[in-house]
Amino acid sequence: MTGLLLRWSARHHGRQPLRSALAVLGIAVGIALLVAVQATMASASAAFAAASEALTGRATHAVRGEQGFVPVRVLAALATERGVVAAPVVEALVQPSTSYRRTVRVLGIDPLVDGLVRPGTGAIAGLSLAGLLTTRGGFVATRATCARLALDDSGATTLFAGGRAVGAQRLLAIPDDAVAGLLDVLLVDIATAQEWNGREDRVDRIDLVLDDGVDVQALSARLQALEPSIRVEANAARASFHELTAAFTSNLQAMGLLALLVGAFLVHAAMRAAVAGRQVEFALLRALGADAFRIGRAVARESVLLGLLGSGVGLVCGWIAAQLLIDPLVRTLNDHFATFALHSVRLDAWLAVTAMVLGPMTAVLASLWPLAEAMQAPPRAVFVSGRLPQRSLQAPLWLLLPLAIGSWILLQNAGRNVVMAHGGMLLALVAIALVVPRAMELLLAGTARVVANAGPWLAYVARSAASSRLRVGSSVSALVLAVGITTGMGAMVQSFRSSVANWLDEVIPADVYVALPGSVDEREHGELSADALSALRALPGLAAVSTYRPMRVAASFHGGPFEETSITVFGPSPRVLERLPLIDGGDAARAAFQQGNGAIATEPLAARLSLTIGSPIAVACGEGVRRTTIVGIERHYRNPRGELLLPTSWFPKLQPESLGLEAMSGESQDALAERVRTVVHALPQALIVSTRESVERTSLKVFDRTFAITDALRLLCILIAVLGIWSSFAALQLDRQKEIAVLRTLGATPRHVVLLVLGQTTLLGVWAGFLALPVGAFVGYVLATVVNRGSFGWTLTEFTLPPALLWEAIWLAVGSAFLAGLWPAWRMARAVPAVALREE
Amino acid sequence: MIGIRDLLLLLLTVVTACGGEPIASTGGELALADVLAAGDVAGYDRATSVPTLTFPRDHGPHDSFRTEWWYWTGNVTDEGGRAFGFELVFFRQALAPPDGEAPRSASLASRELVLVHAAVTDVGGERFHAEERLLRRDSLRAGVVLGEHGPVLWCADWRAEPSGAAPSPDRFPPMRLTARGEGFAFDLVVEAQKALVLQGDRGLSQKSSEPGNASIYYSATRLSAVGTIEVDGRAAGVTGAAWCDREWSTSALGEGQVGWDWFSLQFDDGCELTWYQLRRRDGSIDAHSQGTWTRADGTSARLALADVMAEPQGTWRATDGRAEYPGAWRLRSKKLGLDVEVVPRVADQELRTRVRYWEGCVAVRGSCSGVGYLEMTGYAK
């Protein structure tokens, strides 16, 4: 009997290679998705870790100064401490003479000790140790960075540091991927960085690797006795980095999981099509005496083979897709978290093995249910009708209730737990997927009734679609989910975008902004020169000036330990203060802030550290540690880690990094901008002048770039849904060869057949599109309100579901279904009825 | 004294001057010829004539030369007779000659390195601890300067500085030497018992036939040492005898020299022997090998290659098998009436630092007895 079953299996697939290929395709698509998302994330995460290691290295602590620098005598004192590795760091910004806007970050380290803290950077610096120490302006950079600086063969160039021209000399061009974290960085000796930065007797910070036995408190006290303005802090950067990545990674993984869910339904659909089309054969085998176990084993064997084949194809396709995902992913991460390079995705063995196991396993599981149904049906009934009794193919709707309850509980209690939020959404989506076939059944039955009198062809199209609903139920569920998720992601992004746009409107009330070039993170290292400040403040037609100085200081919350915290030393004009988008605190907060009696926390910081009005904080500022309270919470979308706004009166010696200039009433913004440009042009310091519109435009451009990864995933989701629905529809239509042949013999023309097939698939697509709308709204809402807040602490002020997005959903579904019907329609129309009848 | 100092520093120069080449490409054992070939001496002063030395000025650094060191070794015992050896050596190494431009404004700018080795041998406990420190000469974390009474040297927490003025210009000023490493520490004051000894030709120590391949070299061959030594957490008050070598040069070694064996021996009768022999690739001893015999009264005499015969006795293999050194030496000199065995007081006194070499305290037995220090290089495989 076993031999017979083997031959039966082989002949079945040999006779219908196309159908087998479709099953393989379904599995391949699911696996490809899994591999693409997992491989991309794993590679990104490894690159992230490497970048993190390159930048913060093994440092356990850091010495920082309240004014943003540490005198070098502290370094000398640290050299005599036992169990302490002290690596000074000076960062600077320089501009290539070839590009006014573009800045390059300079990382100044001591090559002799840096290897003990940052092995990668230390090793790179070690390659050119003598050059770095002895060449004025000597630097090491990646080849890409050198190319960007347009160096000639000599490697010598002029750079602008703080408005001064400085000579620079390339010592060594390293491969772009030599050390993560060195992208667009000039690695220089600490002395060169000191000179370029104009900080000859200071360093920015000193990274420390402390032995376990070192008493940090005592060390801190000894150093403070020498230099009261400095502080030894535990290295928070590393923890926060992982924290950041965790939120981001879990978001992406959840999106990947959603896509995998779509894939799983496709695998199920493919296997179901493969098994369900053989009901008569199963009945025949059972009539011949084969027991359910033997048939099951034979089918399982087939499934494993199909699964392996599908996994193999999926692995390759997934790897290719991963290469496509890298760029948007890295762009997003670079915009927000850290600069690192990732050029290719590596496929690790574990993922490959998982994929190779998961494919066959899913295939076997997916074939079990249809097989069990086939085994339960009496063979005689199958012989008579040629298919299974209708009732046996119903989805287990009793699962709905526990799924819905589980989802509700998870979403209600998610809070800042992203995993719970995603879990809740996933359960809800599974429930939706289960209910979709039933909903589709009702919709199609209704359609059939409505069009019953609209002509024989239309009625036939509706009826035949209704009768095929169970065969394509899983694929339609997949399509509904794919389109729904796509719409939901779109809705979330749209809502986010309009919230940000509103916010920008509120926080950019000044007319003209003057700032140092570079990203905000980079600008932490610079300040406006005294010349620039006095020239700008003296401009005619100027009504008010707001000042900004982003930097990092040590701060303690709720009496806890001091940790590195982003702050903006903020000197708002009355108008800017009035329009500050406060979620909590109101005018009392504005008044207190203006008088220097408190700090304002941004929403993500407040969410992360559970800060409310009145929460005690301590901030190390210019005049020692200032203990105060939070007086307001500001809506703020820029920094996902959050930051504090502190009054300028706390930092009397600090110069601002950027200015917001307001024109007098009656004065035009453009006229002011023009005057500012004239003044700035005459200054030695390179500054960027932007109008309100251009700031808003640039901010939204960065925002759009941030969601490039989401777009890529959306695209992938749709692509997979189209492929899946195509394979499912193709299998469905191939199963109906006999039916079509009969129609043809009854007088239907090939054109009729095309219309029939396309009409049927389009109808399924239309209803899938409509079903996807509530799914999209649900996914969008959960992403916008639960997941975003959980991940980043951002509350979106708006949740919008633009009509265009809804139309897009319907068009996506209809378009996918229509496209999926094209090939089967063409094939059916070309089939010779006599041959089709004979083959069946 | 010529020795590991040159190899260490030239090696360092090679490693650091190689610019575009990865460090890995200089890994493994370097041939001495490669080391020598890499040295660019342009822009530095060279030791070409007999120097006129003035003290304490010349105890301080000579920045126009590329390489310089202050080298202390000694044998001490505690009250219970427990014996220890110690070593503290400060190297100054320029990475580039002065460029003639205005001094750099950055406080951390430096074109020189300070490399320090410290070691302690616990003879009774057969323990040996050694560490190194390497920093730029920024005069903050590490520096070599001339103080009021003599050289002030420091690198991280290791220091050597005068504890007072020299009783006369021909004596090395009393120095306090402090270092603390993993499992060891010492805090010693070393004070000259004899006048300085000018090595070679009145301080010019020719190392090969090429003019300029020489160093300025003088020694304080007998210093008293008093202080504390700590090994594995146990501190002991100690006294004994120490030795100091001062040398600076820009290039010193000749082609084909693969290693050397250097002896600084202090005999119980108050005499001292400085002897070094340079080994050539073909196994022969280089003609520029030489030494100095210092009598108890402080007078000294030059020794040429023919005056002393040094023969290795047996072998000692490093625990990891990557180096094999002579186990002991027999030194004979008809001219001095000397026939002694020089035996390491602890077999394993190998410094496994950036460059591997053996340097440790030795006992002298035979026609005269005494103690000393021995350095052996070029034996690593």
Side-chain angles (χ1 to χ4, degrees):
Chain A
M1 197 63 178
T2 306
L4 172 73
L5 285 171
L6 275 176
R7 281 198 298 281
W8 165 69
S9 285
R11 283 201 189 120
H12 170 77
H13 291 287
R15 206 168 56 233
Q16 301 191 326
L18 198 64
R19 199 175 296 179
S20 309
L22 289 174
V24 168
L25 184 66
I27 295 164
V29 163
I31 293 298
L33 195 60
L34 170 85
V35 169
V37 170
Q38 288 297 327
T40 315
M41 282 318 296
S43 299
S45 150
F48 237 161
S52 158
E53 179 80 11
L55 296 174
T56 58
R58 298 171 182 156
T60 57
H61 293 73
V63 180
R64 289 175 194 276
E66 287 163 8
Q67 297 285 6
F69 60 82
V70 179
V72 286
R73 63 172 177 276
V74 176
L75 187 64
L78 277 166
T80 62
E81 292 284 344
R82 297 284 308 156
V84 175
V85 172
V89 176
V90 171
E91 292 182 67
L93 282 176
V94 292
Q95 285 170 285
S97 49
T98 48
S99 159
Y100 176 69
R101 279 180 166 268
R102 178 97 192 156
T103 57
V104 181
R105 189 192 287 251
V106 173
L107 179 62
I109 55 154
D110 183 343
L112 287 169
V113 293
D114 215 66
L116 299 171
V117 179
R118 283 166 281 269
T121 314
I124 293 291
L127 297 181
S128 198
L129 180 68
L132 283 169
L133 258 68
T134 61
T135 310
R136 290 170 195 245
F139 67 86
V140 173
T142 62
R143 288 185 189 129
T145 309
C146 290
R148 212 162 288 141
L149 294 174
L151 300 178
D152 61 15
D153 289 346
S154 73
T157 186
T158 301
L159 300 172
F160 291 92
R164 288 176 301 128
V166 293
Q169 173 67 48
R170 179 194 60 211
L171 301 169
L172 180 64
I174 54 171
D176 295 345
D177 52 0
V179 176
L182 286 187
L183 190 77
D184 261 0
V185 169
L186 301 187
L187 189 65
V188 300
D189 181 55
I190 188 114
T192 298
Q194 281 183 311
E195 286 162 356
W196 285 1
N197 218 5
R199 292 186 164 184
E200 275 83 353
D201 56 353
R202 315 162 176 177
V203 295
D204 288 357
R205 65 168 198 275
I206 303 170
D207 285 340
L208 304 178
V209 182
L210 301 185
D211 284 357
D212 289 342
V214 174
D215 181 345
V216 182
Q217 296 272 330
L219 175 69
S220 187
R222 282 196 295 279
L223 295 178
Q224 277 174 348
L226 181 75
E227 179 58 52
S229 72
I230 59 98
R231 193 165 297 282
V232 179
E233 297 166 16
N235 198 346
R238 211 163 163 183
S240 73
F241 202 88
H242 289 301
E243 199 182 310
L244 260 186
T245 352
F248 187 80
T249 310
S250 72
N251 257 327
L252 260 195
Q253 273 171 345
M255 289 190 201
L257 249 169
L258 293 181
L260 188 64
L261 188 69
V262 175
F265 274 95
L266 291 179
V267 173
H268 178 246
M271 285 317 296
R272 187 162 185 163
V275 173
R278 294 157 73 187
Q279 304 297 355
V280 178
E281 289 176 25
F282 290 144
L284 192 65
L285 281 170
R286 286 174 63 201
L288 287 174
D291 59 32
F293 176 73
R294 281 168 189 274
I295 297 176
R297 202 170 55 185
V299 172
R301 206 179 292 130
E302 281 175 30
S303 303
V304 167
L305 279 176
L306 291 178
L308 279 176
L309 209 59
S311 286
V313 175
L315 206 57
V316 174
C317 294
W319 183 76
I320 294 169
Q323 309 293 334
L324 301 176
L325 273 178
I326 285 187
D327 269 354
L329 178 74
V330 170
R331 255 204 311 272
T332 299
L333 296 178
N334 282 353
D335 273 340
H336 288 271
F337 304 126
T339 311
F340 73 100
L342 178 63
H343 299 293
S344 64
V345 170
R346 264 181 305 181
L347 203 58
D348 68 79
W350 178 240
L351 179 59
V353 169
T354 310
M356 292 310 287
V357 170
L358 212 59
M361 208 171 77
T362 318
V364 170
L365 285 176
S367 60
L368 279 182
W369 187 1
L371 188 68
E373 287 169 350
M375 293 305 117
Q376 279 166 8
R380 200 181 135 70
V382 178
F383 282 140
V384 171
S385 67
R387 61 184 58 161
L388 288 179
Q390 289 290 334
R391 210 169 50 80
S392 65
L393 287 167
Q394 299 296 347
L397 288 180
W398 58 267
L399 272 174
L400 276 182
L401 195 64
L403 283 172
I405 293 174
S407 165
W408 188 79
I409 291 174
L410 285 176
L411 288 177
Q412 280 298 312
N413 298 297
R416 280 188 61 79
N417 190 328
V418 188
V419 177
M420 273 173 78
H422 285 308
M425 189 158 68
L426 207 64
L427 289 188
L429 288 175
V430 172
I432 289 168
L434 287 178
V435 91
V436 161
R438 177 59 63 88
M440 192 59 97
E441 186 181 343
L442 294 174
L443 284 171
L444 289 172
T447 314
R449 262 203 298 281
V450 169
V451 299
N453 299 322
W457 269 108
L458 213 52
Y460 181 72
V461 165
R463 273 202 306 278
S464 76
S467 69
S468 69
R469 71 204 177 270
L470 296 168
R471 301 284 309 281
V472 294
S474 300
S475 327
V476 172
S477 292
L479 185 64
V480 169
L481 284 187
V483 174
I485 291 167
T486 309
T487 310
M489 284 184 190
M492 184 271 280
V493 174
Q494 287 282 349
S495 307
F496 206 161
R497 199 176 194 281
S498 45
S499 298
V500 169
N502 286 345
W503 172 72
L504 283 172
D505 236 17
E506 288 173 9
V507 295
I508 313 181
D511 298 298
V512 178
Y513 287 86
V514 179
L516 294 181
S519 74
V520 176
D521 284 344
E522 290 167 332
R523 298 195 317 241
E524 284 177 7
H525 305 288
E527 57 188 29
L528 292 169
S529 68
D531 289 350
L533 274 174
S534 54
L536 288 167
R537 283 184 191 276
L539 272 174
L542 194 63
V545 178
S546 300
T547 63
Y548 306 83
R549 173 66 192 265
M551 59 188 286
R552 280 171 228 202
V553 298
S556 144
F557 302 89
H558 301 296
F562 277 83
E563 61 171 288
E564 192 198 339
T565 308
S566 293
I567 62 160
T568 295
V569 180
F570 181 42
S573 70
R575 190 165 93 191
V576 168
L577 187 65
E578 188 196 333
R579 292 181 60 172
L580 198 65
L582 292 178
I583 299 169
D584 207 356
D587 287 340
R590 292 187 174 92
F593 186 81
Q594 198 165 34
Q595 288 155 17
N597 291 335
I600 293 175
T602 65
E603 194 189 7
L605 186 78
R608 184 163 66 84
L609 300 171
S610 312
L611 301 176
T612 52
I613 303 293
S615 291
I617 61 163
V619 180
C621 49
E623 296 173 335
V625 174
R626 192 178 273 263
R627 294 180 196 281
T628 180
T629 55
I630 297 289
V631 294
I633 311 282
E634 186 209 3
R635 174 169 298 115
H636 190 100
Y637 292 121
R638 193 188 69 75
N639 182 350
R641 285 276 295 161
E643 62 182 52
L644 283 175
L645 300 186
L646 301 179
T648 43
S649 57
W650 296 9
F651 297 85
K653 291 176 199 157
L654 208 64
Q655 298 297 335
E657 172 277 330
S658 55
L659 299 179
L661 309 173
E662 290 162 38
M664 277 178 178
S665 59
E667 186 81 21
S668 90
Q669 176 185 307
D670 290 341
L672 180 64
E674 206 40 55
R675 275 203 299 280
V676 172
R677 281 199 187 95
T678 312
V679 167
V680 163
H681 197 68
L683 291 168
Q685 190 173 27
L687 297 171
I688 301 288
V689 179
S690 327
T691 57
R692 184 194 309 165
E693 282 76 20
S694 65
V695 171
E696 205 166 325
R697 224 174 18 245
T698 316
S699 306
L700 287 176
K701 209 188 269 175
V702 171
F703 177 88
D704 291 339
R705 247 200 343 253
T706 301
F707 285 94
I709 177 71
T710 318
D711 283 341
L713 272 172
R714 283 179 70 190
L715 197 73
L716 205 65
C717 233
I718 287 297
L719 195 73
I720 282 160
V722 169
L723 277 175
I725 200 95
W726 176 79
S727 78
S728 182
F729 281 4
L732 169 75
Q733 298 302 343
L734 291 179
D735 276 351
R736 295 176 58 201
Q737 290 196 36
K738 186 176 168 188
E739 187 185 333
I740 300 289
V742 171
L743 275 178
R744 291 289 307 279
T745 55
L746 289 175
T749 63
R751 189 171 150 270
H752 283 132
V753 174
V754 169
L755 283 177
L756 171 68
V757 174
L758 285 181
Q760 207 179 50
T761 55
T762 308
L763 187 62
L764 286 168
V766 168
W767 287 130
F770 275 105
L771 287 176
L773 295 183
V775 178
F778 168 75
V779 171
Y781 187 75
V782 171
L783 284 175
T785 56
V786 184
V787 175
N788 244 314
R789 189 165 160 71
S791 303
F792 305 112
W794 285 323
T795 304
L796 305 190
T797 48
E798 300 204 354
F799 176 69
T800 52
L801 202 56
L805 210 60
L806 301 179
W807 279 116
E808 188 187 290
I810 291 173
W811 280 118
L812 266 178
V814 174
S816 310
F818 181 80
L819 283 176
L822 278 179
W823 181 77
W826 174 77
R827 199 183 139 96
M828 291 298 184
R830 284 193 42 182
V832 181
V835 175
L837 279 174
R838 197 166 53 241
E839 276 183 357
E840 279 291 313
Chain B
M1 178 178 74
I2 183 168
I4 185 62
R5 301 99 170 135
D6 285 279
L7 178 60
L8 271 173
L9 295 169
L10 284 169
L11 182 70
L12 203 60
T13 312
V14 172
V15 169
T16 55
C18 62
E21 291 303 314
I23 284 175
S25 70
T26 63
E29 288 305 312
L30 271 177
L32 185 59
D34 296 341
V35 175
L36 291 168
D40 182 6
V41 297
Y44 297 103
D45 282 351
R46 316 259 329 246
T48 51
S49 58
V50 172
T52 308
L53 297 174
T54 310
F55 300 109
R57 188 195 69 194
D58 281 309
H59 294 317
H62 299 80
D63 294 350
S64 58
F65 288 80
R66 187 165 63 180
T67 305
E68 182 161 20
W69 57 81
W70 295 255
Y71 216 115
W72 286 275
T73 53
N75 283 272
V76 291
T77 51
D78 68 7
E79 282 182 349
R82 191 170 163 209
F84 300 91
F86 74 88
E87 174 195 347
L88 180 66
V89 52
F90 281 81
F91 301 100
R92 177 191 66 79
Q93 172 73 12
L95 296 171
D99 57 10
E101 293 181 28
R104 293 181 61 175
S105 55
S107 53
L108 293 173
S110 172
R111 56 180 186 83
E112 292 187 358
L113 303 178
V114 177
L115 173 72
V116 190
H117 282 183
V120 166
T121 309
D122 173 2
V123 176
E126 297 211 333
R127 306 275 296 168
F128 177 72
H129 294 290
E131 265 185 36
E132 73 181 342
R133 299 269 188 274
L134 172 65
L135 287 168
R136 69 182 63 202
R137 184 188 172 192
D138 55 18
S139 296
L140 286 161
R141 294 169 293 171
V144 288
V145 296
L146 179 65
E148 188 188 350
H149 302 305
V152 179
L153 322 168
W154 73 101
C155 186
D157 53 334
W158 294 356
R159 285 185 82 83
E161 60 188 330
S163 60
S168 62
D170 67 343
R171 293 203 174 196
F172 210 91
M175 298 286 293
R176 183 176 176 199
L177 315 177
T178 49
R180 176 175 287 277
E182 193 68 40
F184 75 93
F186 54 79
D187 184 348
L188 299 162
V189 173
V190 291
E191 204 159 349
Q193 305 298 306
K194 280 186 176 180
L196 296 168
V197 174
L198 304 184
Q199 304 278 8
D201 178 10
R202 291 160 288 164
L204 178 69
S205 176
Q206 194 69 36
K207 298 303 194 306
S208 84
S209 49
E210 191 190 323
N213 270 3
S215 62
I216 312 296
Y217 182 9
Y218 66 86
S219 307
T221 55
R222 194 170 288 268
L223 306 160
S224 65
V226 180
T228 54
I229 280 188
E230 188 183 312
V231 178
D232 297 330
R234 282 179 57 199
V238 293
T239 55
W243 182 298
C244 175
D245 271 320
R246 279 280 291 127
E247 194 163 2
W248 59 94
S249 65
T250 290
S251 67
L253 294 182
E255 199 176 335
Q257 294 164 337
V258 294
W260 46 84
D261 308 295
W262 171 84
F263 303 83
S264 59
L265 306 180
Q266 295 167 318
F267 298 102
D268 294 343
D269 62 5
C271 298
E272 293 92 27
L273 172 69
T274 305
W275 179 253
Y276 63 79
Q277 58 183 32
L278 303 166
R279 299 193 312 280
R280 299 188 61 82
R281 188 170 288 120
D282 60 9
S284 63
I285 303 300
D286 193 280
H288 292 86
S289 303
Q290 55 180 304
T292 306
W293 177 254
T294 307
R295 299 177 196 93
D297 63 4
T299 57
S300 59
R302 284 184 74 183
L303 299 171
L305 177 62
D307 296 333
V308 177
M309 180 183 270
E311 296 166 279
Q313 309 281 305
T315 57
W316 175 79
R317 202 178 168 82
T319 43
D320 62 1
R322 289 181 53 206
E324 196 171 85
Y325 300 89
W329 289 82
R330 186 173 176 197
L331 254 57
R332 283 181 292 171
S333 170
K334 277 188 185 162
K335 185 177 177 181
L336 302 173
L338 192 76
D339 184 353
V340 293
E341 250 198 318
V342 177
V343 183
R345 300 180 83 179
V346 170
D348 183 0
Q349 297 184 74
E350 187 190 36
L351 282 93
R352 297 176 193 103
T353 42
R354 278 181 170 79
V355 175
R356 246 180 124 117
Y357 66 107
W358 194 103
E359 172 136 15
C361 55
V362 290
V364 184
R365 295 190 289 257
S367 60
C368 286
S369 61
V371 290
Y373 252 74
L374 165 65
E375 178 182 280
M376 301 183 281
T377 72
Y379 291 98
K381 289 172 184 169

